[in-house]
Amino acid sequence: MKIICSKAELMKSINIVMKAVPSKTTMPILECILIDASKGVIKFTTNDMELGIETIVKGEIVEKGVIALEAKLFSEIIRKLADSDITIATDDKYQALITCENSKFNISGKAGDDYPYLPFVEKDHSISVSQFTLKEVIRQTIFSIAQNENNKMMTGELFEISDNILKVVSLDGHRISIRKIELKENYEHRKVVVPGKTLIEISKILSGEVDDIVNIYFTKNHILFEFDDTIAVSRLIEGDYFRIDQMLSSDYETKLTVNKKELLNCIDRATLLIKEGDKKPIIIGIDDTNMELKINSQIGSMNEHIEIQKEGKDILIGFNPRFLIDALRVIDDETIQIYLVNSKAPCFIKDETESYIYLILPVNFNV
Amino acid sequence: MKIICSKAELMKSINIVMKAVPSKTTMPILECILIDASKGVIKFTTNDMELGIETIVKGEIVEKGVIALEAKLFSEIIRKLADSDITIATDDKYQALITCENSKFNISGKAGDDYPYLPFVEKDHSISVSQFTLKEVIRQTIFSIAQNENNKMMTGELFEISDNILKVVSLDGHRISIRKIELKENYEHRKVVVPGKTLIEISKILSGEVDDIVNIYFTKNHILFEFDDTIAVSRLIEGDYFRIDQMLSSDYETKLTVNKKELLNCIDRATLLIKEGDKKPIIIGIDDTNMELKINSQIGSMNEHIEIQKEGKDILIGFNPRFLIDALRVIDDETIQIYLVNSKAPCFIKDETESYIYLILPVNFNV
């Protein structure tokens, strides 16, 4: 194999496929980038057996061929070479010679035949959204997936399509995040659970531009994202997602309107008094048009009040401050509505049209 | 005690004094910032028993007093408060109430009496340099102090003043870095060894501006840096510094002129093939107007050639690439001169006027 690509093109493609190189694996071949120049285009592939990424690299094929090169080393060599054309040539012993201006690197590769190709995905059912929207919706929900694998379903996010609405849901047993996105067309009903790790990696390589489109295809076991010169295929999490509708109620006893930034900054300050691993709640007291926030720990105490608008009853309720912070950080509205029932019932942060709903369970506290 | 300062002033002063808060200590009081508002100015002090820093904070003293507050917590609270005036009030039980707009923090402090004040330094002998120059000279030499404490003297830097020249030297047994700075005046001869750690911390709080001055005072056991509203006092390392003059020779068999950036980038690339802890040398062969750089390791091999100008003999010599990189990084000249004798003798990178000299010992290698 012999190919010539610009450093910029190589780096762009390497940065994309690196997202599916496993950090640890029992299959050394997966630590490689598969460079496939056997069929008229140069294609980079990586695959951690859950997520696989393939991207087309612009460049010239002088001699067709395939090789697998250790991803980290290959990436670092390319990054440190001069900003010029780079030639990658391999011999029949899988030795790769990487040449750029006066530099020559010689490294060992592996036969490409052993590399697990991406699963084939029938491109039947798809939806289109902008890369910006997909990147945003992941950011706005991903924090409330469960971190540990005890409940596999909680480590993923529900993607549910009904007519022209894409609903994305994540939950970890203490809170639920829901975002709804309006699509440009109507689609058949569909419900899949996408691994959180897939979404985290995908969102890193999405451009974030409103004008760039990503097509999403679904099969029974896989989801495929197609954008720019790249496709990313991921396994889905099998099984039925949690029934969240019965947890969502629109009854409330107290409704408040508060400046989001003021509330977020206040809670953020309060966390200074909580040591890692400590479970001190922040206690929120609503009294007329005043919200008082208090925290008391071994380190010290804090209290602060914020002006609010209120409908309904006064209330005293405690929360894990981290959960409030996570939700508030991803809401763009300047003022938000919070709905409360009593000190044992979940609180809802949501907008009028329910384009977002953040449900957070309260915690017990001693006054 | 009760003082009122703007958040900006507090943060500026905290960032300065934090540099002398020890990361671990057997004296808990040293983890505090001493706030002294007992004498008409607000002064912050920290002291890790080697380096001590004192800085004046602009603000209003409502009630005189002294308190020591846990540095990290105090710093984080101030940082997260609104950008406004902050009041710090203490009671006779050393409880501190920090108030800013609607936020109130209550934390425990300690009596200031226990805090070890900075040693008194007679301000007899001083030199003046710009903050820019001092910051630069530290950066250009600090990398070649020894990291481990086996030889205390090697963990410091020699500051030697002769007439109007300040010479700064560091060495670690494998290399020597020397920088000479022209001062505006003539000074009495003086030689001190300043702990490397002191210089690292000082250089972080120097402004780096050419127009800002720092006065440096010396006594037998201490060095004092005075700049802006801050003084920093450090112990000196006792004993005689190494006699380096006998190691510096101006004889050479080969002199080369090479583009610094080309050489640096090439060696930097070569290090990709060296695993952490491995001691593979980079081998430099000089042949007419050509410099060939080679490295061979388990990971792979690299070779590259760079055009140079040469006087004298051809030579083949090996170096620890790290040492070359460290020196080349801090040299600002576009082209540099390298002086070589033979493959066992040190190499010198220096300019015509010897405003800098970097001596690096070669290493053995097998061709």
Side-chain angles (χ1 to χ4, degrees):
Chain A
M1 184 194 81
K2 185 173 180 182
I3 57 173
I4 305 170
C5 306
S6 72
K7 176 186 172 174
E9 280 298 327
L10 284 174
M11 274 323 296
K12 197 183 80 178
S13 306
I14 289 171
N15 286 335
I16 291 170
V17 293
M18 284 301 277
K19 302 296 182 287
V21 177
S23 50
K24 46 186 176 186
T25 170
T26 50
M27 292 170 66
I29 188 82
L30 299 185
E31 288 167 357
C32 294
I33 295 175
L34 179 72
I35 304 178
D36 184 343
S38 64
K39 298 190 195 70
V41 289
I42 305 168
K43 212 191 300 182
F44 283 3
T45 305
T46 55
N47 189 349
D48 65 13
M49 303 311 276
E50 179 165 270
L51 173 66
I53 302 178
E54 226 177 68
T55 195
I56 306 288
V57 191
K58 286 189 192 73
E60 185 194 336
I61 302 176
V62 181
E63 193 194 313
K64 288 188 176 182
V66 180
I67 191 143
L69 294 178
E70 209 273 292
K72 204 160 157 253
L73 179 64
F74 178 58
S75 151
E76 283 178 355
I77 289 174
I78 301 300
R79 189 165 53 85
K80 293 221 168 170
L81 285 172
D83 201 356
S84 179
D85 275 352
I86 295 173
T87 304
I88 303 166
T90 59
D91 64 18
D92 50 9
K93 285 177 192 127
Y94 310 115
Q95 284 295 311
L97 180 66
I98 303 171
T99 322
C100 176
E101 293 185 350
N102 297 326
S103 316
K104 286 198 195 94
F105 273 90
N106 224 310
I107 58 171
S108 298
K110 289 195 172 77
D113 325 340
D114 305 339
Y115 203 90
Y117 270 85
L118 303 197
F120 175 75
V121 171
E122 195 81 55
K123 291 191 180 175
D124 276 351
H125 303 92
S126 84
I127 63 167
S128 295
V129 292
S130 80
Q131 295 196 34
F132 169 80
T133 304
L134 182 59
K135 199 176 169 106
E136 277 292 283
V137 78
I138 295 171
R139 181 180 71 86
Q140 290 161 339
T141 53
I142 199 73
F143 58 85
S144 63
I145 59 170
Q147 293 307 315
N148 76 53
E149 298 270 326
N150 293 346
N151 187 327
K152 187 77 185 163
M153 193 61 73
M154 282 191 187
T155 66
E157 294 203 343
L158 175 72
F159 273 54
E160 180 173 7
I161 299 142
S162 315
D163 302 326
N164 68 334
I165 298 292
L166 166 64
K167 186 164 80 173
V168 177
V169 181
S170 68
L171 61 82
D172 66 1
H174 304 284
R175 50 189 170 160
I176 308 177
S177 304
I178 306 170
R179 284 270 171 176
K180 283 179 202 144
I181 291 162
E182 214 170 302
L183 304 171
K184 289 211 175 106
E185 292 172 46
N186 279 299
Y187 297 94
E188 201 180 313
H189 183 256
R190 209 153 246 286
K191 237 173 143 172
V192 298
V193 184
V194 190
K197 202 183 144 289
T198 289
L199 296 171
I200 290 167
E201 299 307 330
I202 293 286
S203 80
K204 285 180 195 158
I205 53 180
L206 289 169
S207 71
E209 296 296 321
V210 179
D211 294 337
D212 296 346
I213 291 300
V214 47
N215 294 312
I216 309 176
Y217 300 86
F218 305 91
T219 64
K220 194 166 167 294
N221 296 315
H222 290 97
I223 185 167
L224 183 150
F225 301 87
E226 181 183 64
F227 53 99
D228 307 329
D229 296 318
T230 303
I231 62 168
V233 186
S234 169
R235 281 178 200 276
L236 294 171
I237 296 175
E238 281 175 53
D240 287 328
Y241 199 70
F242 309 94
R243 300 186 178 197
I244 56 159
D245 288 341
Q246 60 204 43
M247 305 181 213
L248 307 176
S249 137
S250 52
D251 295 341
Y252 64 88
E253 297 284 331
T254 313
K255 174 184 174 186
L256 18 136
T257 304
V258 59
N259 179 292
K260 191 210 80 167
K261 211 175 156 192
E262 259 185 72
L263 180 59
L264 175 57
N265 287 347
C266 170
I267 301 172
D268 189 35
R269 278 193 282 274
T271 58
L272 290 177
L273 299 180
I274 309 172
K275 279 196 195 135
E276 195 82 16
D278 192 354
K279 290 208 172 145
K280 278 281 160 201
I282 186 161
I283 297 163
I284 299 181
I286 307 296
D287 182 3
D288 269 341
T289 60
N290 193 37
M291 178 189 262
E292 189 180 20
L293 298 104
K294 275 193 205 177
I295 202 154
N296 246 305
S297 78
Q298 288 174 315
I299 304 174
S301 66
M302 188 205 85
N303 82 68
E304 182 158 349
H305 54 88
I306 298 176
E307 263 184 49
I308 56 165
Q309 285 165 39
K310 189 195 77 170
E311 291 170 27
K313 292 188 188 167
D314 290 352
I315 184 171
L316 193 67
I317 188 166
F319 290 103
N320 178 332
R322 185 79 256 143
F323 294 168
L324 288 171
I325 289 174
D326 284 345
L328 294 173
R329 278 219 178 117
V330 298
I331 297 175
D332 293 328
D333 295 347
E334 199 178 319
T335 58
I336 52 163
Q337 274 76 47
I338 303 178
Y339 300 82
L340 300 159
V341 179
N342 61 51
S343 66
K344 310 277 184 201
C347 110
F348 291 85
I349 306 173
K350 60 185 185 186
D351 61 352
E352 296 292 327
T353 62
E354 299 199 341
S355 78
Y356 64 80
I357 305 176
Y358 293 98
L359 177 157
I360 301 170
L361 289 179
V363 292
N364 286 326
F365 60 93
N366 309 315
V367 187
Chain B
M1 185 194 80
K2 185 173 180 181
I3 58 173
I4 304 170
C5 307
S6 73
K7 175 184 172 176
E9 280 297 327
L10 284 174
M11 273 324 295
K12 197 183 79 178
S13 305
I14 289 171
N15 286 335
I16 291 170
V17 293
M18 284 301 277
K19 302 295 182 288
V21 177
S23 51
K24 44 186 178 185
T25 170
T26 51
M27 291 170 68
I29 187 83
L30 298 185
E31 288 167 358
C32 294
I33 294 174
L34 179 72
I35 304 178
D36 183 343
S38 64
K39 297 190 196 72
V41 290
I42 306 169
K43 213 192 299 182
F44 283 4
T45 305
T46 56
N47 190 350
D48 66 12
M49 302 311 276
E50 179 165 272
L51 172 65
I53 302 178
E54 224 176 69
T55 195
I56 305 287
V57 191
K58 286 190 191 71
E60 185 193 339
I61 302 176
V62 182
E63 192 193 312
K64 288 187 176 180
V66 181
I67 189 142
L69 295 177
E70 209 274 293
K72 204 160 158 252
L73 179 63
F74 178 58
S75 151
E76 283 178 355
I77 289 174
I78 300 299
R79 189 165 54 85
K80 293 221 168 170
L81 285 172
D83 201 355
S84 178
D85 275 351
I86 295 173
T87 304
I88 303 165
T90 59
D91 64 18
D92 50 8
K93 286 176 191 128
Y94 310 116
Q95 283 296 311
L97 180 66
I98 303 171
T99 322
C100 175
E101 293 184 349
N102 297 326
S103 316
K104 285 196 196 98
F105 273 89
N106 224 310
I107 59 171
S108 298
K110 289 193 172 78
D113 324 341
D114 305 339
Y115 203 90
Y117 269 86
L118 302 197
F120 176 74
V121 171
E122 195 80 56
K123 292 192 179 172
D124 275 352
H125 303 93
S126 84
I127 64 166
S128 295
V129 293
S130 80
Q131 294 197 32
F132 169 79
T133 303
L134 182 59
K135 200 177 168 107
E136 276 293 280
V137 79
I138 295 171
R139 181 179 72 87
Q140 290 161 338
T141 53
I142 198 72
F143 58 85
S144 63
I145 60 170
Q147 294 306 316
N148 77 54
E149 298 271 325
N150 292 346
N151 187 327
K152 187 79 184 161
M153 192 60 72
M154 282 191 189
T155 64
E157 294 203 343
L158 175 71
F159 274 55
E160 180 173 5
I161 299 141
S162 315
D163 302 326
N164 68 333
I165 298 293
L166 166 64
K167 187 165 77 173
V168 178
V169 180
S170 69
L171 61 82
D172 65 1
H174 304 285
R175 49 189 170 160
I176 308 177
S177 304
I178 306 170
R179 284 271 171 177
K180 283 181 201 142
I181 290 162
E182 214 170 304
L183 304 171
K184 290 211 173 109
E185 291 173 46
N186 279 297
Y187 297 95
E188 202 180 313
H189 183 258
R190 209 154 246 286
K191 238 173 142 169
V192 297
V193 184
V194 190
K197 202 183 143 291
T198 289
L199 296 171
I200 291 166
E201 298 307 329
I202 293 285
S203 81
K204 286 181 194 159
I205 52 180
L206 290 169
S207 71
E209 295 296 321
V210 179
D211 294 336
D212 296 346
I213 291 301
V214 47
N215 294 313
I216 308 175
Y217 299 87
F218 305 91
T219 64
K220 195 166 167 295
N221 296 316
H222 290 97
I223 186 168
L224 183 151
F225 301 87
E226 182 183 65
F227 53 99
D228 307 328
D229 296 317
T230 302
I231 61 168
V233 186
S234 168
R235 280 179 201 275
L236 294 171
I237 296 176
E238 281 174 53
D240 288 328
Y241 198 70
F242 309 94
R243 300 186 179 194
I244 56 158
D245 288 340
Q246 61 202 44
M247 305 180 214
L248 306 176
S249 137
S250 53
D251 294 342
Y252 64 88
E253 297 283 332
T254 313
K255 174 185 174 185
L256 17 138
T257 305
V258 58
N259 180 291
K260 190 209 81 169
K261 209 174 156 195
E262 259 185 72
L263 180 59
L264 175 57
N265 288 346
C266 170
I267 302 172
D268 190 34
R269 278 192 282 275
T271 58
L272 290 177
L273 299 179
I274 309 171
K275 280 196 194 131
E276 193 84 16
D278 192 354
K279 289 204 175 147
K280 277 283 160 200
I282 186 161
I283 297 163
I284 299 181
I286 308 296
D287 182 2
D288 270 341
T289 59
N290 192 39
M291 177 189 261
E292 189 178 21
L293 299 103
K294 275 194 204 175
I295 201 154
N296 246 305
S297 79
Q298 289 174 313
I299 304 175
S301 66
M302 189 205 85
N303 80 71
E304 182 159 350
H305 53 88
I306 299 176
E307 262 184 50
I308 56 165
Q309 286 165 35
K310 189 194 76 168
E311 290 170 28
K313 292 186 186 167
D314 289 351
I315 184 172
L316 192 67
I317 187 167
F319 290 103
N320 178 332
R322 185 80 258 143
F323 294 168
L324 287 171
I325 290 173
D326 284 345
L328 293 174
R329 278 218 178 117
V330 298
I331 297 175
D332 294 327
D333 295 348
E334 200 179 315
T335 58
I336 53 164
Q337 274 76 46
I338 303 179
Y339 299 82
L340 300 159
V341 180
N342 60 52
S343 67
K344 310 278 184 200
C347 109
F348 290 85
I349 306 172
K350 61 186 185 183
D351 61 351
E352 296 291 327
T353 61
E354 300 199 341
S355 77
Y356 63 80
I357 304 175
Y358 292 99
L359 177 159
I360 301 171
L361 288 180
V363 292
N364 285 327
F365 61 92
N366 308 316
V367 188

